[in-house]
Amino acid sequence: MKKILTTLFLIGCAFWAGLAQSILVEAESFSNSGGWVVDPQFVEQMGSPYLLAHGLGEPVEDARTSIFIKKKAQYHVWVRTKNWVPGAWEAPGRFQILIDNQQLPNELGKNPGWNWEYAGEVELEKGQKTLSLHDLTGFDGRCDAVYLTQGNHEKLPNDLSQLAAWRIKQGTLQASPDLVEHYDLVVVGGGIAGCAASIAAAEQGLRVALIHDRPVLGGNASGEIRVHTLGIYGNFERILKMIDTEHYPNGSARALEEDERRHENMARYDAIDIYFNFRAFATNSENDRITSVDARNTETGEFIRYEAPLFVDCTGDGWIGYWAGAEYMYGREAASKYDESWDKHGTLWSPEKADNFVMGSSVLWGSENAGKPADFPEVPWAMDVAKSYAEANGEWQWEFSRNDLSQIDDAEAIRDHMFRAIYGSFYNYKNPVMEKPNNDQAEYGTIDIRKHQQRVDSLQLKWVSYLVGKRESRRLVGDYIFTFNDVRNQKKFEDGVVFEKREVDVHYQQNLQDPNKPDFLSEALFFDTPTYYIPYRSLYSKNIENLFMAGRDFSCSHIGLGGPRVMRTTGQMGAAVGLAASICKKYDVNPRAVYKSHLEEYLELIETQK
């Protein structure tokens, strides 16, 4: 049985500083998270994983941990948190601090932006104490850290660089690695592409580290996001059938069953070490070569450095390439840049001038009949997003992108916007307005009010993902940039290693065509095509010598991404680079040399996979 590496740190003890009578507790390190969940998606933007009270409108169970008080004293307690929807209403994500069940006076999560809020003052006796986060709303309160101090420190660090330095000083953030590991290949990102790359390389005798920041594999296909896999298997049917999904509805709980099957199949490979809950945060490079990747455990903070001659960026956002200085693209190119225009759809397809309106992120969700009356509270803070839209479930069309928002830098704001859209639309569905236009139909939906009232009382939210399912962000530049013309012209490449038949599928926000539509719903433009091919040269970096990429961060234009972004296709990319890595190891060469000097052998190796 393959070993799955987990931390040996003592999770039962919170991190705490050795400074006299000051204790810093990282929320993600709580020994019992209760109903709160660890959210590591936005570390690069706000500084740390945090705990999220994702209760769908029902307050979640308290998160608890132990702290040790050295001597009796008065303590001031500060909490790093945010009001995620500031406005003329009660903040939706409020919570309080309890110490040994003594409730501190101030409600938290009330100030805009990530900041330190004052929970109150408390006298504590010497000894072990239980520190708790007590959720008040069930609507996504969030806690990054708790700081207890005898001094009334009103100005705690909030700038990310100052905050990191302070955490190192406090002892909750390691400045140097606890462990250094050595591998033949390091794959960062455990989605379908990363899993396929790991399997293909391991089967050729490479020792592989697969670094993944979640407790389950699969990325968008996982039970945490629940998108089914699309595309064809190409040359890699055997590998991809171990890790893909059936074609069930997006958002289906059947994704949880596929998680189990995927994990069982990955566990068969002794040569793959999977580092669950480790999030990469930096690369170390020399002379345009990556020497190592640094990652931290999202719960304990354990710091591991991974050294290897070869790396694969399957992060989706292209983080490994970005940190290493790889060339990359973001946004929609002007139609003239690659001659990718399509008159039928005009600027919805490709703009006259370049912009940042990439395909958006989705948050899938669903409801169920509880079999008894089920209340859902008013959500005034959601209504300026949802407006009058009413719905009980959300599929792929629930997607958000805007020209002034980055799918990377503004990812938390995008996710939170979708939360408001979901909660507000569900509230509207349960509380329909009786006077509807068009024969008792909802303004945007198709609700029959008379029938609707018979079932609405027992409807409750069943599941809302708190992870953003991204479609597009950074695209790393390779020796070849794949474009729509390669699809339209069915261009064949001497190094074609991925092929696909599925139509090109490019999304746009519905309100761009009809301003009366909600801004959180998308539509798709389809271009039917016979088989098209993707060259190996689009799967390694142009300027970082030992970096492969597989997934939606491969080398392509915005429209070029429209077809190959689906997960069986990105899985083909992963398997292709896993095999290429074995050629690199055999001849002690970089990825480019596989194309220049060993292409025939590489293509023959791919043929053996059929």
Side-chain angles (χ1 to χ4, degrees):
M1 174 65 69
K2 178 200 126 337
K3 105 180 134 168
I4 295 178
L5 300 181
T6 57
T7 180
L8 298 178
F9 279 26
L10 296 175
I11 298 177
C13 294
F15 291 126
W16 58 280
L19 299 178
Q21 299 305 296
S22 293
I23 303 173
L24 176 62
V25 186
E26 301 288 2
E28 67 272 15
S29 74
F30 271 45
S31 58
N32 180 357
S33 58
W36 299 64
V37 294
V38 176
D39 190 342
Q41 298 174 91
F42 316 115
V43 171
E44 292 79 18
Q45 292 77 44
M46 53 72 61
S48 173
Y50 60 79
L51 286 184
L52 180 75
H54 190 53
L56 311 184
E58 293 287 338
V60 303
E61 180 186 346
D62 289 1
R64 298 180 177 87
T65 200
S66 294
I67 57 175
F68 185 79
I69 302 300
K70 293 179 179 179
K71 66 177 184 180
K72 180 179 178 179
Q74 289 288 124
Y75 285 86
H76 297 277
V77 182
W78 294 85
V79 178
R80 191 164 187 259
T81 181
K82 73 181 293 186
N83 177 356
W84 65 276
V85 194
W89 42 68
E90 275 201 302
R94 303 185 315 283
F95 64 98
Q96 288 183 290
I97 295 293
L98 280 67
I99 301 179
D100 276 356
N101 294 320
Q102 181 181 349
Q103 184 172 289
L104 273 66
N106 296 334
E107 292 186 358
L108 304 163
K110 300 177 74 172
N111 296 330
W114 283 101
N115 63 91
W116 292 96
E117 296 186 19
Y118 187 56
E121 185 178 7
V122 61
E123 182 178 68
L124 298 176
E125 300 283 343
K126 177 181 178 180
Q128 206 79 10
K129 305 294 178 185
T130 297
L131 173 66
S132 303
L133 306 180
H134 180 64
D135 178 32
L136 298 173
T137 69
F139 281 122
D140 303 291
R142 48 205 75 179
C143 177
D144 175 21
V146 181
Y147 185 59
L148 295 84
T149 179
Q150 279 189 274
N152 190 5
H153 293 273
E154 294 186 4
K155 293 200 175 178
L156 294 170
N158 207 40
D159 172 81
L160 292 190
S161 59
Q162 294 176 1
L163 186 62
W166 182 70
R167 281 178 152 136
I168 291 171
K169 185 177 179 181
Q170 293 292 316
T172 69
L173 191 68
Q174 295 294 106
S176 57
D178 301 289
L179 186 65
V180 178
E181 296 281 11
H182 306 271
Y183 289 91
D184 297 318
L185 180 68
V186 171
V187 180
V188 186
I192 299 300
C195 289
S198 300
I199 291 172
E203 290 185 342
Q204 298 302 313
L206 276 65
R207 186 165 176 258
V208 180
L210 177 56
I211 304 169
H212 189 51
D213 65 356
R214 301 302 305 160
V216 294
L217 297 169
N220 282 350
S222 76
E224 295 188 313
I225 299 178
R226 304 185 185 181
V227 177
H228 57 237
T229 56
L230 292 174
I232 64 173
Y233 294 109
N235 296 303
F236 306 105
E237 182 173 357
R238 178 185 57 81
I239 290 177
L240 295 182
K241 280 192 171 181
M242 288 192 279
I243 56 178
D244 73 339
T245 74
E246 296 294 330
H247 191 83
Y248 42 68
N250 287 321
S252 170
R254 288 177 59 190
L256 301 172
E257 300 171 13
E258 299 286 24
D259 285 349
E260 293 183 14
R261 182 179 64 86
R262 186 178 304 114
H263 283 221
E264 289 172 1
N265 286 328
M266 293 294 292
R268 292 165 43 196
Y269 292 91
D270 292 332
I272 304 173
D273 289 338
I274 305 177
Y275 291 81
F276 287 111
N277 295 318
F278 274 82
R279 186 175 179 89
F281 66 90
T283 61
N284 303 289
S285 303
E286 293 179 5
N287 301 321
D288 295 326
R289 289 181 60 85
I290 300 172
T291 58
S292 61
V293 165
D294 293 341
R296 286 194 180 95
N297 188 284
T298 57
E299 296 181 358
T300 69
E302 182 183 8
F303 178 178
I304 300 180
R305 176 164 292 164
Y306 303 87
E307 296 181 343
L310 298 163
F311 297 84
V312 187
D313 190 330
C314 296
T315 63
D317 284 338
W319 281 112
I320 305 306
Y322 175 76
W323 290 322
E327 293 184 29
Y328 71 92
M329 300 174 284
Y330 183 96
R332 301 194 302 171
E333 299 85 5
S336 59
K337 182 168 185 177
Y338 299 115
D339 191 24
E340 294 180 295
S341 63
W342 186 9
D343 291 342
K344 179 179 178 180
H345 294 299
T347 57
L348 289 177
W349 180 260
S350 194
E352 294 181 3
K353 294 183 179 180
D355 63 25
N356 291 322
F357 230 130
V358 298
M359 288 180 280
S361 296
S362 284
V363 175
L364 304 183
W365 64 287
S367 61
E368 64 180 352
N369 189 327
K372 59 182 180 181
D375 294 329
F376 189 74
E378 292 185 358
V379 286
W381 41 267
M383 304 317 294
D384 62 342
V385 173
K387 298 183 170 60
S388 60
Y389 192 80
E391 188 52 87
N393 298 280
E395 246 260 21
W396 64 264
Q397 296 95 338
W398 286 70
E399 174 182 352
F400 186 49
S401 178
R402 213 168 62 197
N403 191 46
D404 64 331
L405 295 177
S406 165
Q407 297 291 319
I408 299 170
D409 298 334
D410 300 305
E412 186 178 25
I414 289 169
R415 190 273 310 271
D416 291 349
H417 189 87
M418 293 305 294
F419 277 171
R420 297 171 73 190
I422 291 165
Y423 297 139
S425 297
F426 184 68
Y427 177 83
N428 288 339
Y429 194 86
K430 284 185 67 69
N431 299 275
V433 177
M434 295 302 294
E435 294 78 24
K436 293 287 184 181
N438 301 324
N439 194 26
D440 286 340
Q441 299 300 299
E443 183 175 352
Y444 301 122
T446 55
I447 300 174
D448 183 318
I449 298 296
R450 293 179 295 272
K451 294 180 180 179
H452 177 75
Q453 287 182 315
Q454 298 173 9
R455 63 177 184 271
V456 70
D457 287 346
S458 60
L459 201 65
Q460 66 181 13
L461 284 174
K462 180 180 183 181
W463 174 77
V464 176
S465 179
Y466 63 92
L467 302 180
V468 286
K470 293 185 181 181
R471 290 177 176 82
E472 180 181 6
S473 55
R474 290 191 195 99
R475 307 182 304 278
L476 302 179
V477 177
D479 278 353
Y480 188 89
I481 297 174
F482 181 81
T483 74
F484 175 55
N485 287 320
D486 297 319
V487 178
R488 183 161 49 186
N489 300 331
Q490 296 164 53
K491 184 174 180 178
K492 293 186 177 180
F493 301 90
E494 61 175 340
D495 59 335
V497 293
V498 173
F499 64 95
E500 186 53 79
K501 298 179 180 179
R502 182 183 177 273
E503 64 269 87
V504 175
D505 170 11
V506 176
H507 291 200
Y508 67 92
Q509 298 302 123
Q510 291 184 18
N511 67 332
L512 293 180
Q513 195 169 38
D514 181 353
N516 293 318
K517 294 293 182 71
D519 68 357
F520 51 84
L521 296 180
S522 70
E523 193 49 81
L525 303 173
F526 294 100
F527 180 88
D528 291 330
T529 175
T531 302
Y532 61 88
Y533 306 86
I534 298 172
Y536 168 67
R537 285 166 292 159
S538 294
L539 304 181
Y540 62 84
S541 172
K542 177 181 179 180
N543 67 308
I544 302 300
E545 294 181 359
N546 59 340
L547 178 64
F548 295 103
M549 54 270 196
R552 59 183 174 83
D553 60 359
F554 87 106
S555 180
C556 62
S557 66
H558 163 72
I559 299 295
L561 181 65
R565 64 184 174 79
V566 295
M567 284 181 278
R568 287 198 187 108
T569 321
T570 62
Q572 289 187 57
M573 298 178 198
V577 302
L579 294 182
S582 73
I583 300 292
C584 291
K585 181 184 178 184
K586 180 177 180 179
Y587 295 104
D588 191 23
V589 296
N590 291 331
R592 181 175 288 112
V594 175
Y595 170 70
K596 288 185 173 293
S597 304
H598 305 283
L599 183 58
E600 183 177 355
E601 181 178 352
Y602 175 44
L603 295 178
E604 289 175 354
L605 181 58
I606 289 176
E607 282 292 313
T608 67
Q609 302 298 307
K610 292 183 178 180

